[in-house]
Amino acid sequence: MRYINANAILPKELVEKLQNFVQGEYLYIPAIKDQHKPWGELSGFREEIDRRNRDIMQAYASGASIQELAESYCLSVYAIRKIIYAK
């Protein structure tokens, strides 16, 4: 989630009205239910994690041990097992 200055996108009247409730704080405005994006979709982080997990599964299938993968990817053995046995 990134910070956006309300003055840059909202009408002055609406900013002044909001200032009656909160000033100088972060305000989360939830997405409309049908327009909600899954975690990591906007930043691309979900895709990065999925790519890493595919690489881990391929390395395991090629003979890398769980311990080697944990050390290589700086993850716990438990996390590597969750990735390998997820599906």
Side-chain angles (χ1 to χ4, degrees):
M1 185 170 17
R2 61 187 170 93
Y3 167 83
I4 299 174
N5 188 322
N7 288 320
I9 61 169
L10 299 176
K12 181 180 178 186
E13 300 80 28
L14 181 54
V15 172
E16 290 172 354
K17 186 72 171 172
L18 288 169
Q19 287 171 327
N20 290 326
F21 300 95
V22 64
Q23 294 182 32
E25 301 288 335
Y26 291 107
L27 179 64
Y28 173 74
I29 301 180
I32 298 171
K33 187 174 184 177
D34 294 342
Q35 297 177 356
H36 180 74
K37 304 261 190 251
W39 174 87
E41 185 177 313
L42 292 175
S43 68
F45 195 62
R46 176 80 259 159
E47 185 178 319
E48 187 177 325
I49 295 291
D50 290 342
R51 189 175 322 119
R52 181 206 65 190
N53 292 351
R54 283 191 304 272
D55 291 346
I56 288 171
M57 289 187 288
Q58 287 174 347
Y60 181 73
S62 297
S65 73
I66 291 176
Q67 184 64 44
E68 290 170 337
L69 292 169
E71 291 171 8
S72 177
Y73 286 92
C74 299
L75 295 171
S76 69
V77 168
Y78 175 76
I80 296 294
R81 283 188 183 128
K82 279 178 54 178
I83 292 165
I84 291 170
Y85 302 122
K87 293 182 180 181

